Amino acid sequence: MKCFLMLLMLLPGLLTAASDDAAFAVAREKMIREQILERGITDSRILGAFRRVPRHLFVAPSYRGQAYGDFPLPIEEGQTISQPYIVAIMTAVIAPSDNKKVLEIGTGSGYQAAVMAELVREVYTIEIIPALADHSKKLLQQLGYKNIHFRTGDGHVGWPEAAPFDGIIVTCSPDHIPAPLLEQLAVGGRMVIPIRYSHTVQDLLLVEKLPNGKLKKTNLISVLFVPMIRSHAR
Ligand code: SAH
């Protein structure tokens, strides 16, 4: 009897949680269809990764209702979680596959790391702001990701002990490609990086290290990421 009463008391909460989850799943499907698939990213593995990652958990509770919108959102410390379409482009450009190892610079909310971790063998991610690094590490571990490695520090130096990387994804904007990141890119590897020319002009570049070791750069689209800062600037 006591148990039954307790269940009755808990039921409204459980039902709200279940209907919230269902509503978020509907919003997520709409995001995948309208913002990703219909804009040309059709790889079913990539779409599946977006389906499995609960984006609303990567934003503050007060922004959850907007988590699946077609825009970036603020996270802690004045930083942002990228727009879903930009995450999709950056993910697709890396050409993720099961056997690859990818380095991310700028963990932020952890969302891009989670999407990538669904698609490759190992993700190494570096965040310069300790509070963000701690928060996203905790969340990604709670969500059960075992193939993401975390480091708090300045991504300009990369992660030499874990190099070379098949993919490098830079989610903050430097004014040039940091040399250590180029060195740590495997031959045949792909880097995606938003290079800033001024406060408002940035190009998302794909940098491929060709089998002969030469670099091939392709300009993808204009973007607006937060600046890549240096540890001594803080
Ligand atoms: N990938 C993130 C986007 C975060 S915004 C996501 O999916 O949410 C970019 C992040 O880069 C910010 O959290 C910022 O603190 C971080 N950042 C800026 N300069 C950095 C640097 N030099 N090294 C590592 N992280 C940096």
Side-chain angles (χ1 to χ4, degrees):
M1 187 63 186
K2 217 170 168 188
C3 280
F4 179 68
L5 280 179
M6 257 181 38
L7 190 66
L8 269 188
M9 275 159 61
L10 284 175
L11 206 54
L14 289 175
L15 284 178
T16 321
S19 65
D20 268 10
D21 279 353
F24 284 130
V26 170
R28 192 155 58 241
E29 275 313 311
K30 187 168 185 293
M31 169 194 90
I32 292 168
R33 194 179 59 251
E34 294 177 359
Q35 301 173 38
I36 302 178
L37 180 63
E38 288 175 6
R39 290 183 189 157
I41 296 172
T42 57
D43 180 335
S44 58
R45 271 190 91 235
I46 293 182
L47 300 177
F50 278 90
R51 197 162 286 131
R52 289 191 295 278
V53 180
R55 181 170 163 95
H56 58 281
L57 298 184
F58 292 80
V59 302
S62 54
Y63 284 108
R64 285 206 175 135
Q66 301 175 61
Y68 294 95
D70 193 11
F71 35 76
L73 281 172
I75 55 174
E76 290 166 62
E77 308 279 336
Q79 306 302 315
T80 51
I81 175 173
S82 308
Q83 179 188 0
Y85 178 54
I86 298 294
V87 178
I89 292 181
M90 294 179 88
T91 304
V93 155
I94 292 291
S97 63
D98 282 339
N99 54 349
K100 289 193 175 172
K101 188 163 74 170
V102 170
L103 173 67
E104 179 193 33
I105 309 298
T107 319
S109 69
Y111 181 68
Q112 170 77 73
V115 170
M116 194 53 87
E118 295 279 347
L119 295 163
V120 301
R121 183 162 49 87
E122 305 287 341
V123 174
Y124 291 78
T125 185
I126 307 178
E127 169 57 52
I128 201 165
I129 301 180
L132 279 178
D134 293 348
H135 182 87
S136 50
K137 179 176 180 182
K138 210 175 279 166
L139 174 63
L140 290 166
Q141 287 180 339
Q142 270 169 12
L143 290 174
Y145 288 100
K146 300 211 175 354
N147 60 339
I148 306 180
H149 310 270
F150 301 89
R151 180 167 279 184
T152 307
D154 187 344
H156 281 97
V157 296
W159 196 316
E161 312 90 286
F165 298 98
D166 307 295
I168 299 184
I169 187 159
V170 183
T171 70
C172 45
S173 184
D175 57 12
H176 66 280
I177 307 172
L181 299 186
L182 279 180
E183 277 159 29
Q184 292 169 31
L185 187 64
V187 171
R190 299 161 77 83
M191 180 189 316
V192 62
I193 182 164
I195 297 291
R196 66 171 42 221
Y197 301 104
S198 73
H199 283 308
T200 51
V201 183
Q202 294 175 13
D203 281 337
L204 192 62
L205 285 190
L206 164 64
V207 182
E208 293 167 270
K209 199 181 262 190
L210 302 177
N212 62 8
K214 288 207 170 126
L215 298 176
K216 178 180 170 199
K217 296 181 189 165
T218 314
N219 213 331
L220 302 173
I221 44 167
S222 298
V223 284
L224 200 52
F225 278 84
V226 297
M228 183 168 183
I229 55 179
R230 288 194 175 271
S231 44
H232 59 72
R234 285 178 57 80

